[in-house]
Amino acid sequence: MAIYIARPNKDIINIIVEIHLMLRVLKPKCIEYIIFIPKENYDIIEYMTTNNMLTEFKIENFNVDLIPIDLDLLSLERENNIKEIYIDNDYSSISDFANAVVKLETVFGKIKYKYIKGDLAQKFCDLVTEKEKENNLKLGSDEILGMVVFDRSVDFLTLMTTNNTCEGLIDENIGINLGKIKVKNSLLTAGLQGNAKKKDTDPNKEVTYSLTSDKNPFFCSISCMRYFDAIKYIREIRNYYQAIIDSNKKSNNIENSQNALKEVNYFVSKLKNDLFIAENLINYVVDILFESEHQKYTSKEQPLLSGGVPPDLYTYYDEFLSEKKDLKSLIKLMIIESLTQNGIQGYQKLKREMLNIFGFEKIFLFRDLEVLGWLKEKQSTLKKIKSIIDFNYTQIYEKFQLYNEEYNPEVINDCSYILNGYCPLSLKIIEKAVMGKWGTIAEILKKIPGSLSYPEDETVISNPQKDSNILLIVFVGGVTYTEIDALRLLNRKFHEDFLKGKRKKTQFVILTTSILNSKKILDNLGKEVHSVLNMKMFHDQMNKTDSK
């Protein structure tokens, strides 16, 4: 018997097929199981059916619930969630998500108060309500104060913005999986001292390193910072301990020397190496930020996020195409233009040029992006074509004041710190919810397509009665580390207010169907996989052999 445990991914299925074909020769009677985590989807079943794979395997599902990525972050980790939900209209992940939340409710009590923005957010909450009735759940201790449920389609734009935080940069350039990264050992050991650096360790060997708050509390303290603030903070810590060492050398006070020795021992035994590793990781991922090409790119991105259009944007597109640079970077910028400007002037012509340069097979990628409404021709108001996201970005930008005019890069005090003064729409909406201010912006929220619902008395969320509260921030369709980091900053602000006696203690816990970045999304869109070892061809060949 052979058991394959896999995500519902076509590339993984193709690898399983290769093993299966070898087993058919070596062990023709071997029974083979595929256990999908968390479960199979329509896309994968159709793919296996088309290639005559289903009859070769016994299919089972391992229905995992929310995976604890960190102390404040739980995810279903549904790969390719954007395509699954918004292109294929496969809502199985939303149903699984609702099941997982109801299981949380059986432990912590039924959630009474909900903020809901977006049609799929409403669908998710309706499923939660149905499952609560099925399980006969009653209102309990109200340990969970409430939840803010956000539909990804309300703000697709943030998915394409350039990451600026340490964690966001690491995710986009290295890739964070279940709170861990895989990097060469030399990257982690550079500068380490003592037993932490073993001479016999292969520097090119890939090792796993955890970034979660329970395993790596120091990195957690800088994960939300932009790289230059993190490096500055690391150097300040080093200078602090160096000052203690220098002062101790000059001091004749025994008691002061003993206290200093304790601090220095802690620094040398633990913190010193943590600082080196964090600095190594940050320096590794920020190199790209200093490249002239990256700076050119961000000089076009920032004006678009502010609702304007750079005068030389189309010249930049032409130069990009003539030099055949990275396709994904160009598409990211085009998506930002299309979403903020309600389309791209001359999009069809630009698309044809790109297909000629990068290959006609990219038509599948453009097809998916057009279905999502991320790329389209700019239309006049008379010929406006309705899409998934259909609202005037400039009006929303102004009404929500997405750019903080009082932004101070030296002060980490709100969500605008994450993106150099720009606050993504998703974060602005959620921030207003946790502050209990949706009633003041209801008319603006109604201009954004999708359901809208919130408690009549918003003080139950913004000014709770209990001393300690959990507030769930729920992303249906996925969340980025940009948003995760910004919400952690907002939660820190809440905690500071708690320490000052201004509010009750409230802990944000983020729940999501998946953790996304632009690279993951674009890699999974337009992916028409055709196995070289086509199962149908294999069956045809086997039938010919059997007939002989």
Side-chain angles (χ1 to χ4, degrees):
M1 181 172 67
I3 299 175
Y4 311 97
I5 301 175
R7 288 184 178 186
N9 177 284
K10 293 177 182 178
D11 288 337
I12 294 173
I13 290 299
N14 289 335
I15 294 170
I16 290 173
V17 167
E18 290 183 26
I19 299 170
H20 165 75
L21 296 179
M22 289 187 287
L23 278 176
R24 275 291 298 266
V25 177
L26 299 172
K27 295 183 178 181
K29 293 184 179 180
C30 180
I31 299 172
E32 296 172 87
Y33 286 85
I34 298 180
I35 300 176
F36 285 114
I37 297 180
K39 63 188 293 186
E40 85 280 0
N41 56 38
Y42 174 80
D43 197 33
I44 210 69
I45 293 300
E46 182 183 44
Y47 179 68
M48 293 180 74
T49 303
T50 303
N51 289 280
N52 290 343
M53 298 179 189
L54 279 181
T55 56
E56 301 294 315
F57 305 97
K58 294 183 181 294
I59 306 296
E60 301 287 345
N61 292 306
F62 186 73
N63 292 308
V64 297
D65 290 324
L66 288 163
I67 300 169
I69 309 297
D70 211 331
L71 298 177
D72 62 348
L73 177 61
L74 294 89
S75 175
L76 275 183
E77 287 300 270
R78 291 295 285 261
E79 189 175 292
N80 209 3
N81 209 212
I82 293 291
K83 185 176 188 300
E84 180 182 70
I85 295 175
Y86 298 104
I87 295 177
D88 299 334
N89 297 319
D90 178 356
Y91 304 133
S92 58
S93 63
I94 297 177
S95 178
D96 292 340
F97 201 22
N99 271 323
V101 169
V102 171
K103 286 182 182 180
L104 280 179
E105 289 183 303
T106 60
V107 177
F108 294 102
K110 187 177 175 182
I111 302 167
K112 184 177 181 181
Y113 302 107
K114 301 180 182 75
Y115 281 77
I116 302 166
K117 181 54 194 171
D119 290 338
L120 291 185
Q122 184 65 61
K123 184 180 182 67
F124 162 79
C125 287
D126 291 343
L127 286 168
V128 168
T129 302
E130 286 177 22
K131 295 173 193 301
E132 286 172 343
K133 290 177 181 177
E134 289 171 8
N135 289 275
N136 198 29
L137 279 180
K138 307 290 184 184
L139 287 173
S141 61
D142 291 334
E143 190 166 346
I144 299 178
L145 176 64
M147 65 180 180
V148 181
V149 188
F150 183 84
D151 179 350
R152 183 74 269 169
S153 68
V154 174
D155 177 17
F156 280 140
L157 180 61
T158 300
L159 298 178
M160 295 296 136
T161 54
T162 299
N163 287 301
N164 281 298
T165 65
C166 295
E167 196 167 33
L169 284 165
I170 289 171
D171 182 48
E172 192 157 271
N173 293 284
I174 297 176
I176 302 175
N177 185 26
L178 301 178
K180 299 180 178 68
I181 57 172
K182 275 192 174 181
V183 292
K184 286 184 178 180
N185 192 54
S186 58
L187 180 60
L188 299 181
T189 57
L192 298 194
Q193 298 176 1
N195 295 329
K197 187 172 182 178
K198 298 178 181 178
K199 292 182 181 179
D200 59 344
T201 303
D202 181 1
N204 293 316
K205 181 182 178 182
E206 279 204 337
V207 293
T208 301
Y209 184 69
S210 178
L211 301 177
T212 58
S213 52
D214 57 332
K215 302 289 185 184
N216 199 335
F218 176 73
F219 180 80
C220 182
S221 70
I222 64 168
S223 63
C224 304
M225 293 182 183
R226 291 176 304 187
Y227 77 93
F228 40 80
D229 290 327
I231 294 295
K232 180 181 175 184
Y233 181 60
I234 289 169
R235 288 171 182 168
E236 284 175 353
I237 293 174
R238 283 206 188 100
N239 292 338
Y240 168 78
Y241 282 103
Q242 188 60 51
I244 291 175
I245 294 168
D246 294 342
S247 176
N248 187 49
K249 288 177 181 178
K250 299 175 184 177
S251 175
N252 295 320
N253 188 308
I254 296 175
E255 185 179 347
N256 287 345
S257 295
Q258 287 175 340
N259 291 334
L261 186 62
K262 287 179 183 177
E263 286 204 67
V264 171
N265 282 340
Y266 168 72
F267 174 67
V268 172
S269 63
K270 173 61 180 170
L271 191 55
K272 190 174 185 178
N273 285 331
D274 285 350
L275 296 180
F276 274 117
I277 292 173
E279 191 169 17
N280 290 343
L281 284 172
I282 295 165
N283 285 331
Y284 177 78
V285 296
V286 300
D287 281 349
I288 188 175
L289 301 184
F290 297 104
E291 294 175 3
S292 60
E293 194 52 51
H294 177 80
Q295 292 174 357
K296 264 190 192 179
Y297 178 92
T298 53
S299 71
K300 306 297 178 289
E301 181 187 68
Q302 284 297 321
L304 287 169
L305 293 175
S306 301
V309 180
D312 58 345
L313 180 62
Y314 290 98
T315 303
Y316 178 74
Y317 286 164
D318 291 338
E319 289 174 359
F320 209 104
L321 291 174
S322 64
E323 295 175 24
K324 297 184 181 179
K325 296 175 183 175
D326 178 47
L327 175 63
K328 292 187 184 72
S329 294
L330 179 57
I331 286 179
K332 271 179 61 178
L333 193 60
M334 288 172 61
I335 291 171
I336 292 172
E337 183 196 356
S338 186
L339 294 181
T340 57
Q341 300 298 314
N342 193 32
I344 299 172
Q345 197 76 42
Y347 164 64
Q348 293 300 334
K349 180 184 176 183
L350 185 58
K351 173 182 163 184
R352 283 194 297 272
E353 287 181 29
M354 294 172 73
L355 290 174
N356 287 333
I357 293 169
F358 293 101
F360 196 76
E361 66 275 7
K362 297 299 180 186
I363 191 70
F364 298 113
L365 173 59
F366 284 99
R367 175 203 61 191
D368 286 351
L369 293 170
E370 288 163 7
V371 171
L372 284 165
W374 292 4
L375 289 181
K376 62 182 179 180
E377 186 78 37
K378 191 177 180 80
Q379 302 288 331
S380 67
T381 52
L382 297 175
K383 297 180 179 179
K384 196 173 178 184
I385 300 171
K386 192 174 181 181
S387 64
I388 294 176
I389 43 170
D390 194 11
F391 60 87
N392 187 312
Y393 174 79
T394 304
Q395 286 182 2
I396 296 299
Y397 173 86
E398 292 171 353
K399 295 282 188 183
F400 274 102
Q401 297 179 320
L402 296 184
Y403 186 81
N404 181 2
E405 297 292 344
E406 299 177 357
Y407 159 71
N408 181 353
E410 300 295 322
V411 181
I412 308 173
N413 61 359
D414 64 15
C415 298
S416 63
Y417 164 81
I418 295 292
L419 290 171
N420 300 317
Y422 170 77
C423 183
L425 180 60
S426 60
L427 298 172
K428 185 64 76 171
I429 290 174
I430 292 168
E431 184 179 25
K432 293 289 186 183
V434 300
M435 299 296 288
K437 294 182 178 179
W438 266 21
T440 64
I441 59 168
E443 291 306 311
I444 307 170
L445 286 172
K446 288 175 185 175
K447 294 180 183 296
I448 302 172
S451 300
L452 173 67
S453 177
Y454 56 95
E456 186 175 341
D457 179 10
E458 294 192 76
T459 59
V460 295
I461 297 291
S462 61
N463 188 25
Q465 300 303 308
K466 290 182 63 182
D467 291 331
S468 184
N469 306 277
I470 296 173
L471 183 61
L472 302 181
I473 312 294
V474 182
F475 285 83
V476 178
V479 65
T480 66
Y481 272 108
T482 295
E483 292 161 314
I484 292 167
D485 291 335
L487 287 169
R488 284 171 173 166
L489 285 179
L490 182 60
N491 205 179
R492 286 182 193 177
K493 187 177 178 182
F494 266 49
H495 187 67
E496 288 169 6
D497 288 346
F498 160 70
L499 294 176
K500 294 174 184 175
K502 293 181 178 180
R503 67 170 71 245
K504 302 291 187 181
K505 187 176 182 179
T506 302
Q507 172 64 49
F508 296 176
V509 177
I510 302 166
L511 275 58
T512 183
T513 49
S514 60
I515 300 173
L516 304 169
N517 63 41
S518 59
K519 186 176 183 300
K520 289 177 184 176
I521 295 167
L522 294 177
D523 281 346
N524 282 317
L525 292 179
K527 207 169 184 181
E528 300 297 317
V529 182
H530 299 284
S531 174
V532 175
L533 293 166
N534 185 287
M535 188 61 73
K536 186 176 185 303
M537 292 170 62
F538 174 76
H539 273 282
D540 292 343
Q541 189 61 43
M542 289 299 294
N543 289 336
K544 289 179 183 178
T545 305
D546 291 340
S547 64
K548 291 178 182 178

